[in-house]
Amino acid sequence: KKCEKPCSVFGIWPSVQCFISFGFHLIPRLSSIVPESCLLIVVGLLVGGLMKLVGEIPPVLESKIFFLYLLPPIILDAGYFLPIRQFTENLGTILMFAVVGTLWNAFFVGGLLYGVCQLEGHRLVTVDLLSCLLFGSIISAVDPVAVLAVFEEIHINELLHILVFGESLLNDAVTVVLYHLFEEYSSVGSITVMDVFLGIVCFLVVSLGGIVVGAIYGILAAFTSRFTSHTRVIEPLFVFVYSYMAYLSAEVFHLSGIMALIACGAVMRPYVEANISHKSHTTIKYFLKMWSSVSDTLIFIFLGVSTVAGPHEWNWTFVMATLIFCLVARVLGVVGLTFVINKFRIVKLTSKDQFIIAYGGLRGAIAFSLVYLLKTEHFPMRNMFLTAIITVIFFTVFVQGMTIRPLVDLLAVKKKQETKRSINEEIHTQFLDHLLTGIEDICGHYGHHHWKDKLNRFNKKYVKKCLIAGERSKEPQLIAFYHKMEMKQAIELVESGGGAKFPSALPSTVSMQNIQPKKPPQDRALPQLSKAREEEIRKILRTNLQRTRQRLRSYNRHTLVADPYEDGWNEILIKRKKMKELEKKMNNYLTVPAPPPDSPTIARARLASDPQAWGLKSVTESIPTIKVDLASPQSPESVNMVDEFGKKGSQSKASKEEEGGLTMKVPSPTNQRKDKTADEDNDKEPQQRLMRCLSDPGPTAEEEDEDEAFLP
Amino acid sequence: MGASQSGPVYMFQDLAQKTGFSIEQIKNLHNRFMYLTQDEDTLRRKHLENISNLALNPIRRQIIEAFFDKRNMGEKGKGCLQEIGFEEFVTVLSFFRPPKPRTADEDMKNIKKEKLRFLFNMHDTDNDGIITLDEYRRVVEELLSSYETIGAETAKAISDAAMLEVASVTVGQMGPDEFYEGITFEQFMQILKDVEIETKMNIHFWNLDTRTMQCGK
């Protein structure tokens, strides 16, 4: 008996979900027409219907469960991965839509419905103005869950996505205030001007209070993460716990929980990510995605089931009127607001944009739960409200959700750009930021860039020092981005098995050599070779490389030709510290292998420069190189690696020998180190350990799909 | 100012037509110009250096130079001027004017090209039409100059990586003996084509009088 509840939750619902996903992907055509949310609702309907047939009472979506357990993961996922840059750039627009738009919707729908009720007579006359307004306020809020579910699949451009999505998140405060306002006052019976004023104050308190609560918890989480370097395993827990606490605290005080959660996630992210290990970051990311996905599915299924279960009262006039007024209100609201907003925007919203924004105003489970919370004593027409809301939700999710994709294609709305961020784009984005700030200063007005710059400066000077551990607090964004990019490349190369194919579109044979200005030819220790001989040697080396590439020490492309002696000793010592950090971070990854074997650049490099020079040292030289170790210094695996390397080294040497001509000396790491890096202490131990064969990924290689930016 | 009140009006209209600003905006910019030059006729580098907010900007040198660069004035000439008048001031600022809402695609492309040209000129300091590795390195160094702990090697590594990327994307296959001179304007346009310069490289020129806002000095 005691297992019944957990059994039903953990047994039935996830299996239903698995079944759906399975079926969904078996019939690919279906997934391109019908968004997943629709399908889930249908499944919910079926399940509910089944249960009714069997005679059991289908469980209804309890509001408590919904608000406490199902909603937070989705919102946290959204808030944590919120694209801050676009969000803040469009904040004014988003706020206008969220606040003014929702208010307009609420009063328009509520007011007109009241009018219709009065006109209609008989059953509907009992519905008073306040109830109508309450209903209007509940139904007018765009739902983040539904928006996410539908918009995720259509890959619309970032501007529209953030506008609709941001609106759905921020209108929670408005909804909460209006809901409580009307709920309280409908028992009283009337509203005075004072109440309206109080309502505005209440709104400010609710929204700002929610944000402040979220920000406080976010800062606490960031601060905690600063000290977690010894307890890496539970780092993700802090993120989740603090966020949930932020949500609960806000809800306890009747503040906007959603805004608290968003603020918490957005505030803590840049600092937490600078502090936590890569694995923790992956854990957080996947847990968030998992939970939000489960919640999402459950919500829609429950919605379907509740439709079958819930007490219904169908009233044609009311329901139809609701539907029509909602749509009309949305369109009018968007068009009117855009007209005003465009006066202040640099990038104006076109009518295509307006259409998508209006069309993307989906309603969802939040509205349903809010109506469900209403007590029948105060609201005799509650069941009618429920029916109407369900109809509107169904309409928006099914009709609008299904048709939005063909419409997007039809109207040729710009889609999201899938291209990866390149270092050039990053450099120029930063450059542009500073440039525009400078021009604003010259023109003499405090614009968007000016304030952003001030905030960044404040952040750099004070906040980062407190919240980020160690050296990373001083790391500029460009460097961080560069590190991340290098790491991504390394991971990708590992995943592709170190094959000749590079992840980038075209295998490019351009290497550092082509870029460096020509240096005067250094004294060759080797005898001068004739052109023909060189060609021969190159050919031999090329074929060898294909075989032994994987067994040789690999290099970052950037260190290939750099003359290691050029920079001097001091540099090495200074860089040592940085290298230590990098090593710590990249304990489990491999180095970026050398350029493709067909390019003779490696051979050429080895001919031209001192053969001993390319070794561990050149890797140490350049800071941003990713150096990888197979295992951490204390792991027993390391011992084997050295042996393995020794063996492989000798193997390659042997195979080289027979080819004749030049032998590529694979320098023994210990010798190298003794020569060059006498001063460096034993922390350099890890370097000895070589990368294992790229052909054998081994147990620690991680499967990652780094589609999300690590840092904003 | 003073006596020549009617003169500037015609000049303003000319400028408005040439640069695309409205008369109101030009008037405001004129007020700002007068404020910066302390009522002199021409703007010199030191006037711009006096703006205190600008002093915190890591790339202020390049921004100031851009105002005195002949290439941005629409002339074919190369080199720098020592002082500029109001017309040149507005011309440079017109690069940051947001495109009007109903601009045709062709015009948008031209606008984008112009803005990218402005950026290119900022990087290409020796006027040879190519951004060499050294010039790019200097750009990255200046960007990172506000962080004291970052040494030159990091900037070097980043700019090397960036150049490598440009070369890989635009040229693709290069033999080991070939030397990649630098980024040409066409390649520059290619690598930045996804950044949507025409919508990003804009600032808001208000129609209100900005004189009342005390900023800068």
Side-chain angles (χ1 to χ4, degrees):
Chain A
K1 258 302 155 167
K2 65 182 179 196
C3 287
E4 199 179 321
K5 204 95 195 275
C7 226
S8 60
V9 174
F10 287 103
I12 304 179
W13 305 115
S15 55
V16 170
Q17 175 174 7
C18 290
F19 176 69
I20 296 163
S21 318
F22 189 59
F24 211 43
H25 291 289
L26 273 187
I27 320 171
R29 261 219 78 188
L30 200 65
S31 69
S32 61
I33 308 175
V34 180
E36 204 167 312
S37 41
C38 299
L39 213 63
L40 291 170
I41 295 186
V42 168
V43 169
L45 285 173
L46 289 173
V47 172
L50 236 94
M51 291 184 90
K52 247 203 169 142
L53 280 178
V54 172
E56 282 216 18
I57 311 169
V60 192
L61 182 62
E62 269 181 51
S63 298
K64 193 181 79 160
I65 297 184
F66 175 74
F67 280 114
L68 283 183
Y69 302 119
L70 290 180
L71 191 60
I74 301 180
I75 304 294
L76 180 61
D77 182 37
Y80 195 76
F81 293 111
L82 195 69
I84 300 280
R85 183 172 259 264
Q86 279 103 337
F87 189 72
T88 47
E89 274 173 16
N90 295 298
L91 194 59
T93 315
I94 294 178
L95 277 176
M96 275 288 270
F97 278 124
V99 177
V100 180
T102 313
L103 280 174
W104 156 261
N105 277 352
F107 283 102
F108 185 84
V109 173
L112 282 186
L113 269 181
Y114 180 62
V116 165
C117 287
Q118 295 299 17
L119 288 174
E120 179 62 15
H122 64 101
R123 303 209 53 211
L124 296 178
V125 153
T126 51
V127 186
D128 60 334
L129 181 63
L130 281 171
S131 308
C132 277
L133 285 175
L134 176 63
F135 180 69
S137 69
I138 295 176
I139 205 165
S140 61
V142 178
D143 188 83
V145 178
V147 165
L148 262 180
V150 170
F151 270 51
E152 288 274 287
E153 298 183 5
I154 59 179
H155 297 300
I156 210 162
N157 69 57
E158 285 172 343
L159 173 67
L160 287 178
H161 187 262
I162 197 70
L163 282 181
V164 181
F165 183 59
E167 180 198 344
S168 68
L169 289 175
L170 294 186
N171 65 19
D172 180 60
V174 180
T175 312
V176 164
V177 169
L178 285 179
Y179 183 79
H180 283 125
L181 206 71
F182 289 133
E183 202 192 3
E184 275 176 40
Y185 290 127
S186 57
S187 41
V188 172
S190 62
I191 285 192
T192 63
V193 179
M194 190 59 186
D195 298 328
V196 174
F197 180 67
L198 273 178
I200 297 177
V201 170
C202 201
F203 165 71
L204 287 171
V205 166
V206 161
S207 50
L208 293 174
I211 294 177
V212 165
V213 166
I216 292 177
Y217 274 99
I219 292 177
L220 275 177
F223 194 65
T224 316
S225 71
R226 185 182 169 182
F227 303 109
T228 55
S229 48
H230 299 291
T231 48
R232 292 274 180 210
V233 191
I234 56 172
E235 269 170 346
L237 197 64
F238 289 121
V239 171
F240 302 136
V241 166
Y242 276 106
S243 316
Y244 197 52
M245 284 300 298
Y247 181 74
L248 289 179
S249 313
E251 287 289 323
V252 160
F253 295 113
H254 286 294
L255 304 171
S256 167
I258 290 185
M259 294 183 87
L261 210 45
I262 301 286
C264 185
V267 163
M268 97 172 123
R269 185 179 174 199
Y271 309 110
V272 161
E273 287 198 342
N275 284 333
I276 62 178
S277 69
H278 186 76
K279 279 186 164 168
S280 299
H281 170 77
T282 314
T283 312
I284 292 177
K285 177 174 154 183
Y286 279 97
F287 260 87
L288 280 178
K289 296 280 177 221
M290 180 187 80
W291 270 328
S292 66
S293 175
V294 170
S295 287
D296 193 64
T297 313
L298 281 178
I299 287 177
F300 283 112
I301 293 185
F302 262 121
L303 211 55
V305 173
S306 308
T307 312
V308 177
H312 287 302
E313 200 185 306
W314 182 269
N315 184 310
W316 272 104
T317 331
F318 191 76
V319 173
M320 284 299 125
T322 311
L323 195 57
I324 297 174
F325 291 148
C326 274
L327 294 173
V328 170
R330 178 80 185 156
V331 172
L332 287 178
V334 168
V335 171
L337 280 175
T338 318
F339 181 72
V340 177
I341 289 171
N342 270 344
K343 294 202 195 306
F344 297 97
R345 279 181 69 90
I346 299 181
V347 181
K348 317 274 183 212
L349 294 173
T350 64
S351 36
K352 254 194 249 174
D353 295 335
Q354 290 173 41
F355 177 76
I356 296 292
I357 295 175
Y359 210 68
L362 307 173
R363 308 322 197 251
I366 293 184
F368 176 82
S369 310
L370 283 176
V371 169
Y372 204 77
L373 276 176
L374 293 176
K375 301 193 224 325
T376 327
E377 310 87 63
H378 294 177
F379 299 94
M381 310 309 286
R382 171 197 179 248
N383 294 340
M384 192 172 69
F385 287 172
L386 214 58
T387 316
I389 283 226
I390 287 187
T391 317
V392 175
I393 294 177
F394 270 48
F395 183 83
T396 56
V397 172
F398 276 95
V399 175
Q400 286 178 234
M402 277 203 276
T403 53
I404 200 167
R405 198 194 302 218
L407 275 172
V408 160
D409 289 332
L410 196 73
L411 291 173
V413 179
K414 252 193 297 185
K415 293 250 176 127
K416 182 155 60 156
Q417 310 218 305
E418 297 292 353
T419 51
K420 275 195 264 231
R421 262 294 256 250
S422 71
I423 184 103
N424 278 296
E425 287 179 3
E426 180 69 23
I427 291 177
H428 280 97
T429 312
Q430 296 229 345
F431 189 82
L432 261 182
D433 273 344
H434 289 298
L435 175 64
L436 291 173
T437 311
I439 298 285
E440 277 189 355
D441 289 332
I442 292 178
C443 280
H445 75 74
Y446 290 142
H448 170 81
H449 292 276
H450 179 94
W451 294 116
K452 200 157 79 153
D453 195 56
K454 270 216 158 90
L455 190 68
N456 279 338
R457 234 189 286 285
F458 173 73
N459 189 21
K460 187 176 103 182
K461 210 163 163 203
Y462 300 113
V463 184
K464 272 194 180 169
K465 290 222 175 76
C466 295
L467 298 180
I468 300 185
E471 282 272 320
R472 291 210 59 183
S473 59
K474 300 198 203 79
E475 192 181 56
Q477 193 184 343
L478 191 59
I479 310 266
F481 177 85
Y482 182 64
H483 283 157
K484 226 174 45 99
M485 200 185 73
E486 290 280 277
M487 194 134 81
K488 261 194 216 184
Q489 277 181 348
I491 294 170
E492 277 169 2
L493 281 157
V494 169
E495 285 200 323
S496 63
K501 257 195 296 194
F502 266 61
S504 50
L506 302 156
S508 154
T509 55
V510 180
S511 78
M512 279 309 299
Q513 182 126 24
N514 300 103
I515 296 175
Q516 296 289 357
K518 293 187 175 49
K519 295 201 176 74
Q522 291 148 351
D523 278 5
R524 289 181 169 209
L526 312 154
Q528 291 290 337
L529 298 163
S530 65
K531 247 325 194 224
R533 186 75 177 144
E534 254 196 63
E535 253 317 307
E536 210 185 300
I537 292 171
R538 248 184 240 162
K539 227 187 298 174
I540 294 167
L541 290 171
R542 217 173 299 165
T543 43
N544 260 342
L545 276 171
Q546 263 156 1
R547 249 186 287 147
T548 61
R549 174 177 44 87
Q550 294 171 340
R551 298 193 183 95
L552 282 180
R553 182 158 188 74
S554 315
Y555 293 89
N556 185 306
R557 283 180 277 191
H558 311 294
T559 60
L560 217 41
V561 190
D563 186 352
Y565 288 109
E566 192 183 19
D567 292 310
W569 286 108
N570 295 338
E571 318 276 89
I572 302 173
L573 296 175
I574 296 168
K575 286 165 207 166
R576 193 207 322 174
K577 206 155 156 253
K578 297 242 168 198
M579 282 314 298
K580 270 192 238 170
E581 271 183 87
L582 270 173
E583 276 167 50
K584 256 195 307 188
K585 263 193 286 192
M586 293 177 234
N587 260 343
N588 293 312
Y589 300 100
L590 302 179
T591 46
V592 178
D598 358 330
S599 93
T601 48
I602 301 178
R604 173 109 182 173
R606 289 185 191 142
L607 285 172
S609 56
D610 188 348
Q612 282 207 309
W614 56 268
L616 294 152
K617 232 173 61 57
S618 42
V619 179
T620 357
E621 297 294 316
S622 119
I623 295 178
T625 318
I626 296 180
K627 250 190 49 340
V628 220
D629 291 282
L630 173 56
S632 66
Q634 285 79 35
S635 141
E637 285 178 78
S638 57
V639 180
N640 300 331
M641 274 306 124
V642 178
D643 291 340
E644 196 176 342
F645 171 76
K647 264 188 279 177
K648 288 195 177 18
S650 52
Q651 257 180 350
S652 57
K653 256 197 256 182
S655 62
K656 273 305 128 342
E657 229 96 43
E658 47 197 355
E659 306 285 357
L662 282 177
T663 46
M664 284 194 291
K665 273 199 294 175
V666 180
S668 95
T670 37
N671 289 344
Q672 277 282 95
R673 295 198 38 242
K674 282 203 205 109
D675 293 354
K676 321 283 180 213
T677 61
D679 318 8
E680 307 194 72
D681 63 23
N682 294 333
D683 263 5
K684 283 305 165 197
E685 260 283 320
Q687 284 179 32
Q688 247 182 315
R689 248 162 291 109
L690 220 232
M691 34 299 316
R692 77 270 255 231
C693 276
L694 288 178
S695 56
D696 168 41
T700 54
E702 298 181 42
E703 293 228 283
E704 290 221 293
D705 197 17
E706 288 267 68
D707 45 353
E708 203 82 46
F710 203 119
L711 293 165
Chain B
M1 299 266 270
S4 53
Q5 276 296 351
S6 54
V9 175
Y10 291 120
M11 185 175 73
F12 288 178
Q13 273 177 338
D14 273 338
L15 275 178
Q17 274 192 326
K18 208 169 76 160
T19 56
F21 285 121
S22 72
I23 306 273
E24 275 303 316
Q25 288 168 334
I26 301 237
K27 281 203 191 125
N28 286 327
L29 288 174
H30 187 80
N31 291 334
R32 180 67 183 170
F33 185 77
M34 283 298 149
Y35 176 76
L36 286 175
T37 63
Q38 286 155 347
D39 288 336
E40 287 174 38
D41 278 330
T42 55
L43 187 76
R44 271 177 271 271
R45 284 189 176 81
K46 67 173 199 273
H47 293 132
L48 288 178
E49 281 163 14
N50 279 337
I51 305 176
S52 59
N53 277 333
L54 203 59
L56 299 168
N57 201 314
I59 57 170
R60 62 186 166 281
R61 187 122 316 275
Q62 290 179 306
I63 298 178
I64 294 179
E65 282 306 312
F67 274 89
F68 296 92
D69 191 337
K70 272 199 200 156
R71 289 173 295 176
N72 293 330
M73 308 302 175
E75 302 165 26
K76 288 297 169 198
K78 295 182 176 183
C80 335
L81 303 161
Q82 284 309 313
E83 49 186 28
I84 56 171
F86 179 59
E87 192 174 329
E88 285 88 16
F89 184 67
V90 175
T91 311
V92 171
L93 286 178
S94 71
F95 282 101
F96 297 92
R97 191 179 53 81
K100 297 211 167 39
R102 263 171 268 278
T103 326
D105 277 339
E106 267 309 305
D107 292 334
M108 280 297 238
K109 280 209 200 108
N110 284 337
I111 291 174
K112 183 169 178 166
K113 194 167 173 184
E114 275 171 25
K115 293 189 198 266
L116 281 174
R117 186 87 221 175
F118 185 84
L119 278 183
F120 189 80
N121 288 343
M122 280 183 89
H123 295 325
D124 182 22
T125 43
D126 61 1
N127 283 343
D128 60 357
I130 300 179
I131 304 179
T132 60
L133 184 62
D134 275 333
E135 287 168 346
Y136 211 39
R137 203 171 286 172
R138 224 169 296 138
V139 170
V140 177
E141 270 171 16
E142 291 221 351
L143 266 184
L144 296 174
S145 61
S146 52
Y147 297 87
E148 309 84 28
T149 52
I150 304 301
E153 349 40 75
T154 321
K156 181 167 167 300
I158 293 183
S159 57
D160 288 349
M163 281 294 259
L164 191 66
E165 192 184 74
V166 178
S168 313
V169 168
T170 54
V171 180
Q173 309 287 327
M174 271 180 104
D177 284 335
E178 293 172 46
F179 176 57
Y180 180 66
E181 290 285 335
I183 311 178
T184 64
F185 183 55
E186 279 70 34
Q187 292 168 347
F188 191 69
M189 282 203 293
Q190 194 180 346
I191 55 169
L192 289 185
K193 70 178 186 313
D194 287 330
V195 180
E196 286 201 11
I197 289 282
E198 67 272 15
T199 47
K200 289 220 170 106
M201 189 167 143
N202 299 316
I203 67 168
H204 222 125
F205 290 98
W206 295 103
N207 283 332
L208 317 161
D209 190 351
T210 57
R211 219 177 354 170
T212 50
M213 301 187 199
Q214 284 298 318
C215 33
K217 191 93 143 275

